[in-house]
Amino acid sequence: MTTSHAIETVAQLEALFGQPGEASLRKEVSYLHPAYRALIAASPFAVLATTGPGGLDASPRGDPPGFVVVQDEKTLLLPERRGNNRIDSLRNIVTDPRVALLFLIPGVGETLRVNGRGLITVAPDVMARFAVEGKLPQCVIEVQVETVYFQCARAIQRSRLWAPVAADARREVPTAGAILSALTDAAFDGAAYDRELPARQQATLY
């Protein structure tokens, strides 16, 4: 790409795309409107975006629908379950509270975007609300909402994300073990990792 074709200013961007439609502007609010609460309650999956000294990060979060709780019209509560202990998102929130959430609902084209500021709490009463099978989350992320708006369905439609999955789809991408083996020049036993992974994941979901 030559620099002569690079878009480098907001004015250039606005000239390229034109003005947003009225609906695109009016759908954005600063609180959790009941319509948006309904989307959050139906969502079993969200992507959490954060920023910190090491740069940007986006990571998946999932649980049964409604796992992100609407505390009030300006507050969301997101449980932090067991994981790989990298805690990239949490490290970022400690240093820079800005966060964003993208909620997806299987079979629904529209997604929901929430921007705000997060803090991490281990308050016993808050933690207890998210216990599963008697197990507490590691912590809870409290998000103070600043902007909320839904995204139209074009991206989901173009990607065919909710279309039936082909039976051989899994064979077309490397397994987790194969990736680890490739990244470590076979020093990592990828085959053993793949054999043990399903049982380990099931035993450590919560």
Side-chain angles (χ1 to χ4, degrees):
M1 183 184 71
T2 60
T3 56
S4 62
H5 294 289
I7 301 297
E8 298 177 328
T9 69
V10 173
Q12 288 175 308
L13 276 176
E14 291 177 344
L16 179 64
F17 284 91
Q19 295 300 310
E22 181 182 4
S24 296
L25 297 174
R26 297 194 64 175
K27 67 185 179 181
E28 180 178 332
V29 294
S30 61
Y31 65 99
L32 296 163
H33 185 280
Y36 289 159
R37 293 188 185 205
L39 295 179
I40 294 170
S43 174
F45 184 85
V47 177
L48 172 66
T50 59
T51 185
L56 303 175
D57 183 74
S59 61
R61 297 292 188 275
D63 245 331
F67 76 103
V68 177
V69 170
V70 177
Q71 174 77 1
D72 55 52
E73 68 175 14
K74 294 289 288 185
T75 311
L76 290 175
L77 301 175
L78 168 62
E80 182 73 15
R81 303 295 185 190
R82 294 181 62 173
N84 56 21
N85 291 335
R86 286 180 55 102
I87 57 174
D88 297 310
S89 300
L90 302 180
R91 292 178 193 275
N92 284 349
I93 291 172
V94 167
T95 58
D96 187 332
R98 291 176 296 172
V99 299
L101 285 162
L102 175 67
F103 291 92
L104 286 83
I105 305 168
V108 175
E110 287 73 24
T111 57
L112 185 70
R113 298 168 64 171
V114 177
N115 299 318
R117 304 178 79 81
L119 65 84
I120 301 166
T121 180
V122 290
D125 58 329
V126 177
M127 298 274 283
R129 296 176 61 179
F130 296 95
V132 175
E133 300 173 356
K135 298 176 181 177
L136 299 176
Q138 300 293 93
C139 60
V140 173
I141 301 171
E142 179 181 306
V143 178
Q144 292 300 311
V145 172
E146 295 178 344
T147 59
V148 192
Y149 54 99
F150 77 89
Q151 186 81 24
C152 76
R154 292 187 186 91
I156 301 297
Q157 292 169 346
R158 286 190 289 253
S159 67
R160 295 178 55 81
L161 183 62
W162 307 131
V165 178
D168 61 349
R170 174 71 262 187
R171 295 196 297 270
E172 295 179 0
V173 297
T175 64
I179 294 171
L180 286 167
S181 180
L183 292 174
T184 60
D185 294 325
F188 202 98
D189 189 342
Y193 185 91
D194 284 336
R195 285 195 305 272
E196 298 165 2
L197 184 59
R200 183 167 63 250
Q201 286 178 330
Q202 191 61 39
T204 58
L205 278 181
Y206 297 98

